[in-house]
């Protein structure tokens, strides 16, 4: 079992460049008990791509999760904001 939930959904929007991207990650256990980091990314509203990384230990998956989060924040990805009118 994963010690705590690791899930992330961030977006990067730039209307001047016609950019609307998302990036999502989560860590779950495989049926064999390994930690699996699943990444999904693409244009908002489209299916996009997916990649999975399997690790023997949860801390390895968490380390990669945090490194990818740091990279995405550095590139301008931010949590989705909801507008209420």
């Amino acid at each position: 079992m994963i010690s705590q939930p690791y899930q992330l959904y961030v977006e990067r929007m730039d209307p001047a460049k016609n950019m609307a991207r998302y990036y999502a990650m989560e860590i779950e256990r495989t049926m064999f008990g390994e930690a699996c980091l699943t990444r999904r990314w693409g244009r908002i509203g489209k299916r996009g791509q997916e990649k999975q990384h399997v690790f023997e230990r949860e801390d390895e998956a968490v380390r990669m999760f945090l490194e990818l989060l740091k990279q995405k924040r550095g590139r301008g990805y931010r949590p989705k904001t909801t507008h209420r009118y």
Side-chain angles (χ1 to χ4, degrees):
M1 178 174 236
I2 301 294
S3 61
Q4 70 180 48
Y6 286 92
Q7 294 180 323
L8 173 74
Y9 179 86
V10 290
E11 293 181 344
R12 183 176 175 192
M13 308 276 274
D14 186 345
K17 295 180 180 178
N18 193 27
M19 181 188 303
R21 298 181 183 162
Y22 71 90
Y23 194 86
M25 295 188 289
E26 67 181 329
I27 298 175
E28 297 179 313
R29 286 275 177 213
T30 67
M31 67 174 150
F32 301 110
E34 301 160 313
C36 180
L37 171 63
T38 302
R39 304 187 293 154
R40 294 178 186 88
W41 67 93
R43 185 164 177 83
I44 294 172
K46 302 291 181 183
R47 180 169 159 72
Q49 299 181 48
E50 179 176 311
K51 187 169 186 174
Q52 294 183 330
H53 305 271
V54 178
F55 301 90
E56 289 184 19
R57 298 186 359 240
E58 180 181 340
D59 65 325
E60 296 169 340
V62 171
R63 191 175 305 117
M64 184 174 189
F65 182 99
L66 295 174
E67 182 59 36
L68 289 167
L69 170 59
K70 182 179 175 182
Q71 289 176 11
K72 295 304 169 188
R73 289 192 56 93
R75 291 185 180 143
Y77 283 83
R78 298 291 179 254
K80 182 179 178 179
T81 57
T82 57
H83 297 283
R84 296 182 188 257
Y85 297 99

Coordinates of all heavy atoms in Angstrom, one line a residue:
M1 N 0.8 -1.2 0.0 CA 0.0 0.0 0.0 C 0.9 1.2 0.0 O 1.9 1.3 0.7 CB -0.9 0.0 1.2 CG -1.8 1.2 1.4 SD -3.0 1.0 2.7 CE -4.5 1.2 1.8
I2 N 0.5 2.2 -0.7 CA 1.2 3.5 -0.8 C 1.0 4.2 0.5 O -0.2 4.3 1.0 CB 0.7 4.3 -2.0 CG1 1.0 3.6 -3.3 CG2 1.4 5.7 -2.0 CD1 2.4 3.3 -3.7
S3 N 2.0 4.8 1.1 CA 1.9 5.4 2.4 C 1.0 6.7 2.4 O 0.4 6.9 3.4 CB 3.3 5.8 2.9 OG 3.9 6.7 2.1
Q4 N 1.0 7.4 1.3 CA 0.1 8.5 1.2 C -0.2 8.7 -0.3 O 0.6 8.3 -1.1 CB 0.6 9.8 1.8 CG 1.8 10.4 1.1 CD 2.4 11.6 1.7 OE1 2.6 11.7 2.9 NE2 2.6 12.7 0.9
P5 N -1.3 9.4 -0.6 CA -1.7 9.5 -2.0 C -0.7 10.5 -2.7 O -0.5 11.6 -2.2 CB -3.1 10.0 -2.0 CG -3.3 10.6 -0.7 CD -2.4 9.9 0.2
Y6 N -0.2 10.2 -3.9 CA 0.6 11.1 -4.7 C -0.2 11.3 -6.0 O -0.2 10.4 -6.8 CB 2.0 10.5 -4.9 CG 2.9 10.6 -3.7 CD1 2.9 9.5 -2.9 CD2 3.6 11.7 -3.5 CE1 3.8 9.6 -1.7 CE2 4.4 11.8 -2.4 CZ 4.5 10.7 -1.5 OH 5.3 10.8 -0.4
Q7 N -0.8 12.4 -6.2 CA -1.5 12.7 -7.4 C -1.3 14.2 -7.7 O -1.2 15.0 -6.8 CB -3.0 12.5 -7.2 CG -3.4 11.1 -7.0 CD -4.9 10.9 -6.9 OE1 -5.6 11.7 -6.3 NE2 -5.4 9.8 -7.4
L8 N -1.2 14.5 -9.0 CA -0.9 15.9 -9.4 C -1.6 16.1 -10.8 O -1.6 15.2 -11.6 CB 0.6 16.1 -9.6 CG 1.0 17.4 -10.2 CD1 0.8 18.5 -9.2 CD2 2.4 17.4 -10.7
Y9 N -2.2 17.3 -10.9 CA -2.8 17.7 -12.2 C -2.4 19.2 -12.3 O -2.8 20.0 -11.5 CB -4.3 17.5 -12.3 CG -4.8 18.0 -13.6 CD1 -4.8 17.1 -14.7 CD2 -5.3 19.3 -13.8 CE1 -5.3 17.6 -16.0 CE2 -5.7 19.7 -15.0 CZ -5.7 18.9 -16.1 OH -6.2 19.3 -17.3
V10 N -1.6 19.5 -13.4 CA -1.3 20.9 -13.6 C -1.5 21.3 -15.1 O -1.6 20.4 -15.9 CB 0.2 21.2 -13.2 CG1 0.4 21.2 -11.7 CG2 1.2 20.2 -13.9
E11 N -1.6 22.6 -15.3 CA -1.9 23.1 -16.7 C -0.9 24.2 -17.0 O -0.4 24.9 -16.1 CB -3.3 23.6 -16.8 CG -4.3 22.5 -16.7 CD -5.8 23.0 -16.9 OE1 -6.0 24.2 -16.8 OE2 -6.6 22.1 -17.1
R12 N -0.7 24.4 -18.3 CA 0.1 25.5 -18.8 C -0.7 26.1 -19.9 O -1.0 25.5 -20.9 CB 1.5 25.0 -19.3 CG 2.3 26.2 -19.7 CD 3.7 25.6 -20.1 NE 4.5 26.7 -20.6 CZ 5.7 26.5 -21.3 NH1 6.1 25.3 -21.4 NH2 6.4 27.5 -21.7
M13 N -1.1 27.4 -19.7 CA -1.9 28.1 -20.7 C -1.2 29.4 -21.2 O -0.6 30.1 -20.4 CB -3.2 28.5 -20.1 CG -4.0 27.4 -19.5 SD -4.9 26.4 -20.6 CE -6.4 27.3 -20.7
D14 N -1.1 29.6 -22.5 CA -0.6 30.8 -23.1 C -1.4 31.1 -24.4 O -1.0 30.6 -25.4 CB 0.9 30.7 -23.4 CG 1.5 32.0 -23.8 OD1 0.8 32.9 -24.2 OD2 2.8 32.0 -23.8
P15 N -2.4 31.9 -24.3 CA -3.2 32.2 -25.4 C -2.5 32.8 -26.6 O -2.8 32.5 -27.8 CB -4.3 33.1 -24.9 CG -4.4 32.9 -23.5 CD -3.0 32.5 -23.1
A16 N -1.4 33.6 -26.3 CA -0.6 34.2 -27.4 C 0.1 33.1 -28.2 O 0.3 33.4 -29.4 CB 0.4 35.2 -26.8
K17 N 0.4 32.0 -27.6 CA 1.1 30.9 -28.4 C 0.1 29.8 -28.7 O 0.6 28.7 -29.1 CB 2.2 30.4 -27.5 CG 3.3 31.3 -27.3 CD 4.4 30.7 -26.4 CE 5.6 31.7 -26.1 NZ 6.6 31.0 -25.3
N18 N -1.2 30.0 -28.5 CA -2.2 28.9 -28.7 C -1.8 27.7 -27.9 O -1.9 26.5 -28.4 CB -2.4 28.6 -30.2 CG -3.6 27.8 -30.4 OD1 -4.5 27.8 -29.6 ND2 -3.6 27.0 -31.5
M19 N -1.3 27.9 -26.7 CA -0.9 26.7 -25.8 C -1.9 26.5 -24.7 O -2.3 27.4 -24.0 CB 0.5 27.1 -25.2 CG 1.0 26.0 -24.3 SD 2.5 26.4 -23.4 CE 3.6 27.0 -24.7
A20 N -2.3 25.2 -24.6 CA -3.2 24.8 -23.6 C -2.8 23.3 -23.3 O -3.3 22.4 -23.9 CB -4.6 24.9 -24.0
R21 N -1.9 23.1 -22.4 CA -1.4 21.8 -22.1 C -1.7 21.3 -20.7 O -1.9 22.2 -19.8 CB 0.1 21.8 -22.3 CG 0.6 22.1 -23.6 CD 2.1 22.0 -23.8 NE 2.5 22.4 -25.1 CZ 3.7 22.7 -25.4 NH1 4.6 22.8 -24.5 NH2 4.0 23.1 -26.7
Y22 N -1.8 20.0 -20.5 CA -1.9 19.5 -19.1 C -0.8 18.5 -18.8 O -0.2 17.9 -19.8 CB -3.3 18.9 -18.9 CG -3.5 17.6 -19.7 CD1 -3.2 16.3 -19.1 CD2 -3.9 17.5 -21.0 CE1 -3.3 15.1 -19.8 CE2 -4.1 16.4 -21.7 CZ -3.8 15.2 -21.1 OH -3.9 14.0 -21.8
Y23 N -0.6 18.2 -17.6 CA 0.3 17.2 -17.1 C -0.2 16.6 -15.9 O -0.5 17.3 -14.9 CB 1.7 17.8 -16.9 CG 2.8 16.8 -16.8 CD1 3.5 16.3 -17.9 CD2 3.2 16.3 -15.5 CE1 4.5 15.4 -17.8 CE2 4.2 15.4 -15.4 CZ 4.9 14.9 -16.6 OH 5.9 14.0 -16.5
A24 N -0.4 15.3 -15.8 CA -0.9 14.6 -14.6 C 0.0 13.4 -14.2 O 0.6 12.8 -15.1 CB -2.3 14.1 -14.9
M25 N 0.1 13.2 -12.9 CA 0.9 12.1 -12.4 C 0.2 11.5 -11.2 O -0.5 12.2 -10.5 CB 2.3 12.6 -11.9 CG 3.2 13.1 -12.9 SD 4.9 13.4 -12.3 CE 4.6 14.8 -11.2
E26 N 0.5 10.2 -11.0 CA 0.0 9.5 -9.8 C 0.9 8.3 -9.5 O 1.5 7.8 -10.4 CB -1.5 9.2 -9.9 CG -1.8 8.1 -10.9 CD -3.2 7.8 -10.9 OE1 -3.9 7.9 -9.9 OE2 -3.7 7.4 -12.0
I27 N 1.0 8.0 -8.2 CA 1.7 6.8 -7.8 C 0.7 5.8 -7.3 O -0.1 6.1 -6.4 CB 2.8 7.1 -6.8 CG1 3.8 8.1 -7.4 CG2 3.5 5.8 -6.3 CD1 4.9 8.5 -6.4
E28 N 0.7 4.6 -7.8 CA -0.1 3.5 -7.3 C 0.7 2.2 -7.2 O 1.8 2.2 -7.7 CB -1.3 3.3 -8.3 CG -2.2 4.4 -8.4 CD -3.3 4.2 -9.4 OE1 -3.0 3.7 -10.5 OE2 -4.5 4.4 -9.1
R29 N 0.1 1.2 -6.6 CA 0.8 -0.1 -6.5 C 0.3 -1.0 -7.7 O -0.8 -0.9 -8.1 CB 0.4 -0.8 -5.2 CG 1.1 -0.3 -4.0 CD 2.4 -0.9 -3.9 NE 3.1 -0.3 -2.7 CZ 4.4 -0.1 -2.6 NH1 5.2 -0.5 -3.6 NH2 4.9 0.4 -1.6
T30 N 1.3 -1.8 -8.2 CA 0.9 -2.8 -9.2 C 0.3 -4.0 -8.5 O 0.4 -4.1 -7.3 CB 2.1 -3.2 -10.1 OG1 3.0 -3.9 -9.2 CG2 2.8 -2.0 -10.7
M31 N -0.2 -4.9 -9.2 CA -0.7 -6.1 -8.6 C 0.4 -7.0 -8.0 O 0.1 -7.9 -7.2 CB -1.6 -6.9 -9.5 CG -0.9 -7.5 -10.7 SD -2.2 -8.5 -11.5 CE -1.6 -8.5 -13.2
F32 N 1.6 -6.7 -8.3 CA 2.8 -7.4 -7.7 C 3.4 -6.6 -6.6 O 4.4 -7.0 -6.1 CB 3.8 -7.6 -8.8 CG 3.2 -8.4 -10.0 CD1 3.1 -7.9 -11.2 CD2 2.9 -9.8 -9.8 CE1 2.5 -8.6 -12.3 CE2 2.4 -10.5 -10.9 CZ 2.2 -9.9 -12.1
G33 N 2.8 -5.5 -6.2 CA 3.2 -4.8 -5.0 C 4.3 -3.7 -5.3 O 4.8 -3.1 -4.4
E34 N 4.6 -3.5 -6.6 CA 5.6 -2.5 -6.9 C 5.0 -1.1 -7.0 O 3.8 -1.0 -7.2 CB 6.3 -2.8 -8.3 CG 6.9 -4.2 -8.3 CD 7.1 -4.7 -9.7 OE1 6.2 -4.7 -10.5 OE2 8.2 -5.2 -10.0
A35 N 5.8 -0.1 -6.8 CA 5.3 1.3 -7.0 C 5.3 1.7 -8.4 O 6.3 1.5 -9.1 CB 6.1 2.3 -6.1
C36 N 4.2 2.2 -8.9 CA 4.1 2.6 -10.4 C 3.8 4.1 -10.5 O 2.7 4.5 -10.0 CB 3.1 1.7 -11.1 SG 2.9 2.1 -12.8
L37 N 4.7 4.8 -11.1 CA 4.4 6.2 -11.4 C 3.8 6.3 -12.8 O 4.5 5.9 -13.8 CB 5.7 7.0 -11.3 CG 5.6 8.5 -11.8 CD1 4.6 9.3 -10.9 CD2 7.0 9.1 -11.7
T38 N 2.6 6.8 -12.9 CA 2.0 7.0 -14.2 C 1.9 8.4 -14.5 O 1.5 9.3 -13.7 CB 0.5 6.4 -14.2 OG1 0.6 5.0 -13.8 CG2 -0.1 6.5 -15.6
R39 N 2.4 8.8 -15.7 CA 2.4 10.2 -16.2 C 1.5 10.3 -17.4 O 1.5 9.4 -18.3 CB 3.8 10.6 -16.6 CG 4.8 10.5 -15.5 CD 6.1 11.1 -15.9 NE 6.8 10.4 -17.0 CZ 7.7 11.0 -17.8 NH1 8.0 12.3 -17.7 NH2 8.3 10.3 -18.8
R40 N 0.7 11.3 -17.5 CA -0.1 11.6 -18.7 C 0.0 13.1 -19.0 O 0.1 13.9 -18.2 CB -1.6 11.4 -18.3 CG -1.9 9.9 -18.0 CD -3.4 9.7 -17.7 NE -3.7 8.4 -17.3 CZ -3.5 7.9 -16.0 NH1 -3.2 8.8 -15.1 NH2 -3.8 6.7 -15.7
W41 N 0.1 13.4 -20.3 CA 0.3 14.7 -20.8 C -0.2 14.9 -22.2 O -0.4 14.0 -22.9 CB 1.8 15.1 -20.7 CG 2.6 14.4 -21.7 CD1 3.0 14.9 -22.9 CD2 3.3 13.2 -21.5 NE1 3.8 13.9 -23.6 CE2 4.0 12.9 -22.7 CE3 3.3 12.2 -20.5 CZ2 4.7 11.7 -22.9 CZ3 4.1 11.1 -20.7 CH2 4.8 10.8 -21.9
G42 N -0.5 16.2 -22.5 CA -1.0 16.5 -23.8 C -1.8 17.8 -23.9 O -1.7 18.6 -22.9
R43 N -2.4 18.0 -25.0 CA -3.2 19.3 -25.1 C -4.6 19.1 -24.4 O -5.2 18.0 -24.4 CB -3.5 19.5 -26.6 CG -4.2 20.8 -26.9 CD -4.2 21.2 -28.3 NE -4.9 22.4 -28.6 CZ -4.4 23.6 -28.4 NH1 -3.2 23.8 -27.9 NH2 -5.2 24.7 -28.7
I44 N -5.0 20.1 -23.7 CA -6.2 20.1 -22.9 C -7.4 19.7 -23.8 O -7.5 20.3 -24.9 CB -6.5 21.4 -22.2 CG1 -5.4 21.6 -21.1 CG2 -7.8 21.4 -21.5 CD1 -5.4 23.0 -20.4
G45 N -8.2 18.7 -23.4 CA -9.3 18.3 -24.2 C -9.0 17.1 -25.2 O -9.9 16.6 -25.8
K46 N -7.7 16.7 -25.2 CA -7.3 15.6 -26.1 C -6.8 14.5 -25.2 O -6.4 14.7 -24.0 CB -6.2 16.0 -27.0 CG -6.5 17.2 -27.9 CD -7.6 16.7 -28.9 CE -7.9 17.9 -29.9 NZ -8.9 17.6 -30.8
R47 N -6.7 13.3 -25.7 CA -6.3 12.1 -25.0 C -4.8 12.2 -24.6 O -4.4 11.9 -23.5 CB -6.5 10.8 -25.8 CG -6.0 9.6 -25.2 CD -6.5 8.4 -25.9 NE -5.8 7.2 -25.7 CZ -5.8 6.5 -24.5 NH1 -6.6 6.9 -23.6 NH2 -5.1 5.4 -24.4
G48 N -3.9 12.7 -25.4 CA -2.5 12.9 -25.0 C -1.8 11.5 -25.0 O -2.1 10.5 -25.6
Q49 N -0.7 11.5 -24.2 CA 0.2 10.4 -24.1 C 0.2 9.9 -22.7 O -0.1 10.6 -21.8 CB 1.6 10.8 -24.6 CG 1.6 11.2 -26.0 CD 3.1 11.5 -26.4 OE1 4.0 10.8 -26.2 NE2 3.2 12.7 -27.1
E50 N 0.8 8.7 -22.5 CA 0.9 8.1 -21.2 C 2.2 7.3 -21.1 O 2.5 6.6 -22.0 CB -0.3 7.2 -20.8 CG -0.2 6.6 -19.5 CD -1.5 5.8 -19.2 OE1 -2.6 6.3 -19.3 OE2 -1.3 4.6 -18.7
K51 N 2.8 7.3 -19.9 CA 4.0 6.6 -19.7 C 4.0 6.1 -18.3 O 3.6 6.8 -17.4 CB 5.3 7.4 -20.0 CG 6.5 6.6 -19.9 CD 7.7 7.3 -20.5 CE 8.9 6.4 -20.5 NZ 10.1 7.0 -21.2
Q52 N 4.4 4.8 -18.0 CA 4.5 4.3 -16.7 C 5.9 3.9 -16.4 O 6.6 3.4 -17.2 CB 3.6 3.1 -16.6 CG 2.1 3.4 -16.7 CD 1.2 2.2 -16.5 OE1 1.6 1.1 -16.8 NE2 0.0 2.4 -16.0
H53 N 6.3 4.2 -15.1 CA 7.6 3.8 -14.6 C 7.3 2.9 -13.3 O 6.6 3.3 -12.4 CB 8.4 5.0 -14.1 CG 8.5 6.0 -15.2 ND1 9.6 6.0 -16.1 CD2 7.7 7.1 -15.6 CE1 9.4 7.1 -17.0 NE2 8.3 7.7 -16.6
V54 N 7.9 1.7 -13.3 CA 7.7 0.8 -12.2 C 9.0 0.8 -11.4 O 10.1 0.7 -11.9 CB 7.4 -0.6 -12.7 CG1 7.2 -1.6 -11.6 CG2 6.1 -0.5 -13.5
F55 N 8.8 0.8 -10.0 CA 10.0 0.9 -9.1 C 9.8 -0.2 -8.1 O 8.6 -0.5 -7.7 CB 10.1 2.2 -8.4 CG 10.2 3.4 -9.3 CD1 9.1 4.0 -9.8 CD2 11.5 3.8 -9.7 CE1 9.3 5.1 -10.7 CE2 11.7 4.9 -10.5 CZ 10.5 5.5 -11.0
E56 N 10.9 -0.8 -7.6 CA 10.8 -1.8 -6.5 C 10.4 -1.1 -5.2 O 9.7 -1.7 -4.4 CB 12.1 -2.5 -6.3 CG 12.4 -3.4 -7.5 CD 13.7 -4.2 -7.2 OE1 14.1 -4.3 -6.0 OE2 14.3 -4.7 -8.2
R57 N 10.8 0.1 -5.0 CA 10.6 0.8 -3.7 C 9.8 2.1 -3.9 O 10.0 2.8 -4.9 CB 11.9 1.1 -3.0 CG 12.6 -0.1 -2.6 CD 13.9 0.1 -1.8 NE 14.2 1.4 -1.5 CZ 15.4 2.0 -1.8 NH1 16.3 1.4 -2.6 NH2 15.6 3.3 -1.5
E58 N 8.9 2.4 -3.0 CA 8.0 3.6 -3.1 C 8.9 4.9 -3.1 O 8.6 5.8 -3.9 CB 7.0 3.6 -2.0 CG 6.1 4.8 -2.0 CD 5.1 4.9 -0.9 OE1 4.9 3.8 -0.2 OE2 4.6 5.9 -0.6
D59 N 9.9 4.9 -2.3 CA 10.7 6.2 -2.2 C 11.4 6.5 -3.6 O 11.5 7.7 -3.9 CB 11.7 6.1 -1.1 CG 12.8 5.1 -1.3 OD1 12.5 4.0 -1.9 OD2 14.0 5.3 -0.9
E60 N 11.7 5.5 -4.4 CA 12.2 5.8 -5.7 C 11.2 6.5 -6.6 O 11.5 7.4 -7.3 CB 12.7 4.5 -6.4 CG 13.9 3.9 -5.7 CD 14.1 2.5 -6.2 OE1 13.2 1.9 -6.8 OE2 15.2 2.0 -6.0
A61 N 9.9 6.0 -6.5 CA 8.8 6.6 -7.3 C 8.6 8.0 -6.8 O 8.4 8.9 -7.6 CB 7.6 5.8 -7.2
V62 N 8.6 8.2 -5.5 CA 8.3 9.6 -5.0 C 9.4 10.5 -5.4 O 9.2 11.7 -5.7 CB 8.2 9.5 -3.4 CG1 8.2 10.9 -2.8 CG2 7.0 8.7 -3.0
R63 N 10.7 10.1 -5.4 CA 11.8 10.9 -5.8 C 11.6 11.4 -7.3 O 11.8 12.6 -7.6 CB 13.1 10.2 -5.7 CG 14.3 11.0 -5.8 CD 15.6 10.3 -5.5 NE 15.6 9.6 -4.2 CZ 15.7 8.3 -4.0 NH1 15.8 7.5 -5.0 NH2 15.7 7.8 -2.8
M64 N 11.2 10.5 -8.2 CA 11.0 10.9 -9.5 C 9.8 11.8 -9.7 O 9.8 12.8 -10.4 CB 10.8 9.6 -10.4 CG 10.6 10.0 -11.9 SD 10.5 8.5 -12.9 CE 10.7 9.2 -14.5
F65 N 8.7 11.5 -8.9 CA 7.5 12.4 -8.9 C 7.9 13.8 -8.5 O 7.5 14.8 -9.2 CB 6.5 11.8 -7.8 CG 5.2 12.5 -7.7 CD1 4.1 12.1 -8.4 CD2 5.1 13.7 -7.0 CE1 2.9 12.7 -8.3 CE2 3.9 14.3 -6.8 CZ 2.8 13.9 -7.5
L66 N 8.7 14.0 -7.4 CA 9.0 15.3 -7.0 C 10.0 16.0 -8.0 O 9.9 17.2 -8.2 CB 9.7 15.2 -5.6 CG 8.7 14.8 -4.5 CD1 9.5 14.6 -3.2 CD2 7.6 15.7 -4.3
E67 N 10.9 15.3 -8.6 CA 11.7 15.9 -9.6 C 11.0 16.4 -10.8 O 11.2 17.5 -11.3 CB 12.8 14.9 -10.0 CG 13.8 15.4 -11.1 CD 14.6 16.7 -10.6 OE1 14.9 16.7 -9.4 OE2 14.8 17.5 -11.4
L68 N 10.0 15.6 -11.3 CA 9.2 16.0 -12.4 C 8.3 17.2 -12.1 O 8.1 18.1 -12.9 CB 8.3 14.8 -12.9 CG 9.0 13.7 -13.6 CD1 8.2 12.4 -13.7 CD2 9.5 14.1 -14.9
L69 N 7.8 17.2 -10.8 CA 7.0 18.3 -10.4 C 7.8 19.6 -10.4 O 7.4 20.6 -10.9 CB 6.5 18.1 -8.9 CG 5.9 19.3 -8.2 CD1 4.7 19.8 -9.0 CD2 5.5 18.9 -6.8
K70 N 9.1 19.5 -10.0 CA 10.0 20.7 -10.0 C 10.2 21.2 -11.4 O 10.2 22.4 -11.7 CB 11.3 20.3 -9.3 CG 12.3 21.4 -9.2 CD 13.6 20.9 -8.5 CE 14.6 21.9 -8.5 NZ 15.9 21.5 -7.9
Q71 N 10.4 20.2 -12.3 CA 10.6 20.6 -13.7 C 9.4 21.3 -14.3 O 9.5 22.3 -15.0 CB 11.0 19.3 -14.6 CG 12.3 18.7 -14.3 CD 12.5 17.4 -15.1 OE1 11.7 17.1 -16.0 NE2 13.5 16.7 -14.8
K72 N 8.2 20.7 -14.1 CA 7.0 21.3 -14.6 C 6.7 22.7 -14.1 O 6.3 23.6 -14.8 CB 5.8 20.4 -14.4 CG 6.0 19.0 -15.1 CD 6.2 19.2 -16.6 CE 6.6 18.0 -17.3 NZ 6.9 18.2 -18.7
R73 N 6.9 22.9 -12.8 CA 6.7 24.2 -12.2 C 7.7 25.2 -12.8 O 7.3 26.3 -13.1 CB 6.9 24.2 -10.7 CG 5.7 23.4 -10.0 CD 5.6 23.6 -8.5 NE 5.6 25.0 -8.2 CZ 4.5 25.7 -7.9 NH1 3.3 25.2 -8.1 NH2 4.6 27.0 -7.6
G74 N 8.9 24.8 -13.1 CA 9.9 25.6 -13.7 C 9.5 26.0 -15.1 O 10.0 27.1 -15.6
R75 N 8.7 25.2 -15.8 CA 8.3 25.5 -17.2 C 7.0 26.2 -17.2 O 6.4 26.5 -18.3 CB 8.2 24.2 -17.9 CG 9.6 23.6 -18.2 CD 9.4 22.4 -19.1 NE 10.8 21.8 -19.3 CZ 11.0 20.5 -19.4 NH1 10.1 19.7 -19.3 NH2 12.3 20.1 -19.6
G76 N 6.4 26.6 -16.0 CA 5.2 27.4 -16.0 C 3.9 26.6 -15.8 O 2.8 27.2 -15.9
Y77 N 4.0 25.3 -15.5 CA 2.7 24.6 -15.2 C 2.3 25.0 -13.8 O 3.1 25.1 -12.9 CB 3.0 23.1 -15.3 CG 3.1 22.5 -16.7 CD1 4.3 22.6 -17.4 CD2 2.0 21.9 -17.3 CE1 4.3 22.1 -18.7 CE2 2.0 21.4 -18.5 CZ 3.2 21.5 -19.3 OH 3.3 21.0 -20.5
R78 N 0.9 25.1 -13.7 CA 0.4 25.5 -12.4 C -0.9 24.7 -12.2 O -1.5 24.2 -13.1 CB 0.0 27.0 -12.4 CG 1.2 27.9 -12.6 CD 2.1 27.9 -11.3 NE 3.3 28.8 -11.5 CZ 4.5 28.3 -11.7 NH1 4.7 27.1 -11.8 NH2 5.5 29.2 -11.8
P79 N -1.4 24.6 -10.9 CA -2.6 23.9 -10.6 C -3.8 24.5 -11.4 O -3.8 25.7 -11.6 CB -2.8 24.0 -9.1 CG -1.4 24.3 -8.6 CD -0.7 25.0 -9.7
K80 N -4.7 23.7 -11.8 CA -5.9 24.2 -12.5 C -6.7 25.2 -11.6 O -6.9 24.9 -10.5 CB -6.8 23.1 -12.9 CG -8.0 23.4 -13.7 CD -8.8 22.2 -14.1 CE -10.0 22.7 -14.9 NZ -10.8 21.5 -15.3
T81 N -7.0 26.3 -12.2 CA -7.9 27.3 -11.5 C -9.3 27.2 -12.0 O -9.5 27.1 -13.2 CB -7.3 28.7 -11.6 OG1 -7.2 29.0 -13.0 CG2 -5.9 28.8 -11.0
T82 N -10.2 27.4 -11.1 CA -11.6 27.4 -11.5 C -12.1 28.9 -11.4 O -11.8 29.5 -10.4 CB -12.5 26.5 -10.7 OG1 -12.3 26.8 -9.3 CG2 -12.1 25.0 -10.9
H83 N -12.8 29.3 -12.4 CA -13.4 30.6 -12.3 C -14.9 30.6 -12.0 O -15.6 29.8 -12.6 CB -13.2 31.3 -13.7 CG -11.8 31.5 -14.1 ND1 -11.0 32.5 -13.5 CD2 -11.0 30.8 -14.9 CE1 -9.8 32.4 -14.0 NE2 -9.8 31.4 -14.9
R84 N -15.3 31.3 -11.1 CA -16.8 31.4 -10.8 C -17.3 32.8 -11.1 O -16.7 33.8 -10.7 CB -17.0 31.1 -9.3 CG -16.6 29.7 -8.9 CD -16.9 29.4 -7.5 NE -16.3 28.2 -7.1 CZ -17.0 27.1 -7.0 NH1 -18.3 27.1 -7.1 NH2 -16.4 25.9 -6.6
Y85 N -18.3 32.9 -11.9 CA -18.9 34.1 -12.3 C -20.2 34.4 -11.7 O -20.9 33.5 -11.4 CB -19.0 34.2 -13.8 CG -17.6 34.1 -14.5 CD1 -17.2 32.9 -15.0 CD2 -16.8 35.2 -14.6 CE1 -15.9 32.8 -15.6 CE2 -15.6 35.1 -15.2 CZ -15.1 33.9 -15.7 OH -13.9 33.8 -16.3

